[in-house]
Amino acid sequence: MRTLTLAPYGDPAASGGLPARDAVPVGDPRRTTVLDVVIPVYNEETDLEPCVRRLHAYLDSTFPYDFRITVADNASTDRTPLVALALEREFPQVTAVRLERKGRGRALREVWSASDAPVLAYMDVDLSTDLNALLPLVAPLISGHSDLAIGSRLAGGSRVVRGPKRELISRAYNLILRGSLSARFSDAQCGFKAIRSDVARRLLPLVEDTGWFFDTEMLVLAERASLRIHEVPVDWVDDPHSSVDIVRTATEDLKGVWRVGRALASGALPLERLRRPFGDDPRDRVEGLAPGLVRQLAGFAVIGALSTAANLALFWLFRLGTGAQLANGFALLLCTLANTAANRRFTFGVRGRRRAMRQQAQGLVVFGVSLLMTSGSLAALRAADGHATHGAELAVLVAANLAATVVRFLLLRVWVFPDRGDEEATAPALGGVR
């Protein structure tokens, strides 16, 4: 049995994004283990042995790759360490690890950090999730399709047997995640997850929780960093003898939701280091275009279309009570403030308050350029036709806005929001993030 001391996982100051996804070379003779399945336990002397025997029999008979089962005993005080050691001696594919401090998240972080397997998974000792979902869970990670994978009891096609109390709590918790953290994954708490080791090396240093909220925090940060999360509908039967304290766990989870939400809102989490590089996104694989340009153009086009519609509506509204030039100026000013904020967040991926005021000021300079172009066009129309209708003014304004849009995108890209990837990647983590 190995004993792990608690040490920092990876290098949180590592710069650069994740490498492009590649399939795991399962035929590599230098690699003996493709999948490492971790079972975190605390005082599970009764359930541990049948769990490991059942899991080993299943993997040995059906799983097509080399595997390891790691029992992560986090400070058990009963006979659990002795049971784990006996299983390690009996099965070559079983490893027992002893940690001297409690916490499921802490156990997963430390064991995953020490593993040499390219794909890391974990499941609860009660094996509530049907094991037939294991290969569908890890296959997208082995193939290079996805970064993380989760079993979901709430996805379409899942079949779940559990009491109404746990069902209500689970659904309420996931609704809270959707409403407060904009989470899109369907089930944060199912104890059946997997992650690629290259992703774990970059992601886990940002995960602060060491208990039950570990899973949720890991998934939220992965999703915010635009990593791909694969969901597998599972068959799941509730363990009626579970020792989990639901009230205490729910309280700690809500505290975690508040902490992570605050860190995301303040921009304290350096998520840029988790983003995939140029070449991994098919939208970026266009000859002759700079990295990210296609994605930025798409975002800018959508925001620009909405801004143009809002600008024309406001111009028409203001024009009812004032002149064309003043109406255009007011409409353009309001739309520019909203446009700069939207492009900052969605087109160029800038989060947090850092440089926000400066970038809004630069956006106002861009507004001045747009105002000059559109107002100049209206002035030219008036010079050519002193009795131009409102419809003619709108038509000229549309044409001028199209030209101003091209200039605005170029100015936003190269001046207001230039690529600061290296700077962001090396920025220190704030707000208590390790």
Side-chain angles (χ1 to χ4, degrees):
M1 174 183 290
R2 291 183 295 148
T3 300
L4 291 184
T5 56
L6 301 181
Y9 185 102
D11 178 11
S15 61
L18 288 166
R21 299 184 197 94
D22 291 319
V24 172
V26 294
D28 189 344
R30 298 169 297 179
R31 187 184 300 281
T32 59
T33 302
V34 172
L35 173 67
D36 193 348
V37 182
V38 180
I39 304 174
V41 291
Y42 173 72
N43 289 351
E44 296 287 356
E45 61 180 6
T46 301
D47 293 338
L48 179 57
E49 182 176 350
C51 163
V52 171
R53 290 188 180 279
R54 177 183 164 195
L55 177 59
H56 182 275
Y58 177 83
L59 290 171
D60 192 49
S61 62
T62 66
F63 197 69
Y65 309 112
D66 293 331
F67 65 89
R68 180 191 304 126
I69 300 172
T70 300
V71 179
D73 168 31
N74 44 325
S76 293
T77 57
D78 63 359
R79 295 184 62 258
T80 296
L82 298 178
V83 175
L85 187 58
L87 291 167
E88 180 183 54
R89 290 170 176 167
E90 180 177 353
F91 299 106
Q93 297 94 343
V94 175
T95 299
V97 174
R98 168 76 176 181
L99 294 99
E100 299 303 329
R101 295 176 62 190
K102 288 180 60 177
R104 183 182 67 167
R106 178 181 288 111
L108 290 175
R109 184 201 315 274
E110 298 305 320
V111 174
W112 280 351
S113 72
S115 179
D116 60 352
V119 177
L120 312 167
Y122 94 87
M123 59 184 64
D124 292 334
V125 69
D126 57 16
L127 295 185
S128 294
T129 304
D130 189 277
L131 292 176
N132 286 328
L134 182 57
L135 184 56
L137 183 82
V138 301
L141 309 186
I142 295 173
S143 70
H145 173 272
S146 300
D147 299 298
L148 299 90
I150 65 173
S152 175
R153 299 161 296 183
L154 303 178
S158 61
R159 293 177 290 187
V160 177
V161 178
R162 61 176 166 182
K165 180 180 179 181
R166 285 183 176 271
E167 180 76 12
L168 178 62
I169 292 174
S170 179
R171 291 188 178 275
Y173 180 65
N174 283 282
L175 283 175
I176 290 172
L177 294 182
R178 289 176 178 270
S180 60
L181 299 178
S182 301
R184 296 189 299 275
F185 47 84
S186 64
D187 190 352
Q189 296 174 308
C190 182
F192 197 73
K193 296 181 176 68
I195 185 172
R196 286 175 61 106
S197 61
D198 56 350
V199 176
R201 280 191 292 272
R202 297 290 183 87
L203 175 59
L204 295 191
L206 305 182
V207 180
E208 184 175 336
D209 191 79
T210 58
W212 291 96
F213 187 68
F214 174 88
D215 302 49
T216 300
E217 186 170 357
M218 178 179 68
L219 291 174
V220 169
L221 299 188
E223 190 173 74
R224 287 300 185 97
S226 301
L227 301 185
R228 179 174 288 166
I229 301 174
H230 177 72
E231 294 198 17
V232 178
V234 297
D235 297 341
W236 194 84
V237 179
D238 186 21
D239 177 12
H241 305 295
S242 174
S243 60
V244 176
D245 186 332
I246 296 178
V247 175
R248 183 169 61 86
T249 301
T251 301
E252 293 301 317
D253 285 346
L254 292 177
K255 290 179 180 177
V257 169
W258 169 257
R259 174 177 54 80
V260 172
R262 185 176 56 184
L264 290 171
S266 66
L269 293 165
L271 299 179
E272 285 298 324
R273 76 180 60 148
L274 298 176
R275 300 187 188 281
R276 293 287 180 178
F278 174 68
D280 188 51
D281 192 324
R283 293 171 295 181
D284 290 335
R285 299 173 193 158
V286 180
E287 285 291 327
L289 290 184
L293 181 57
V294 174
R295 191 181 314 131
Q296 290 177 357
L297 281 170
F300 184 81
V302 172
I303 294 171
L306 295 175
S307 296
T308 300
N311 182 54
L312 294 176
L314 288 173
F315 172 80
W316 185 271
L317 179 64
F318 291 146
R319 186 67 178 88
L320 297 177
T322 188
Q325 293 288 5
L326 200 55
N328 177 57
F330 283 147
L332 200 55
L333 176 60
L334 293 176
C335 290
T336 295
L337 294 174
N339 183 282
T340 301
N343 277 304
R344 182 180 191 269
R345 171 65 177 84
F346 298 106
T347 302
F348 300 100
V350 181
R351 295 175 175 83
R353 294 189 291 267
R354 190 182 181 193
R355 296 192 184 91
M357 294 303 296
R358 174 182 174 182
Q359 288 162 346
Q360 277 289 2
Q362 290 173 308
L364 290 176
V365 175
V366 177
F367 155 76
V369 174
S370 300
L371 179 63
L372 182 62
M373 295 178 66
T374 54
S375 296
S377 300
L378 287 174
L381 175 64
R382 282 295 178 186
D385 183 0
H387 303 285
T389 64
H390 288 184
E393 291 174 347
L394 281 175
V396 168
L397 207 53
V398 168
N401 264 308
L402 290 175
T405 296
V406 176
V407 175
R408 187 162 60 249
F409 176 78
L410 293 175
L411 289 174
L412 289 176
R413 180 178 170 84
V414 303
W415 182 49
V416 183
F417 306 112
D419 183 12
R420 300 181 184 272
D422 294 338
E423 178 181 333
E424 294 294 332
T426 56
L430 304 175
V433 178
R434 295 194 292 248

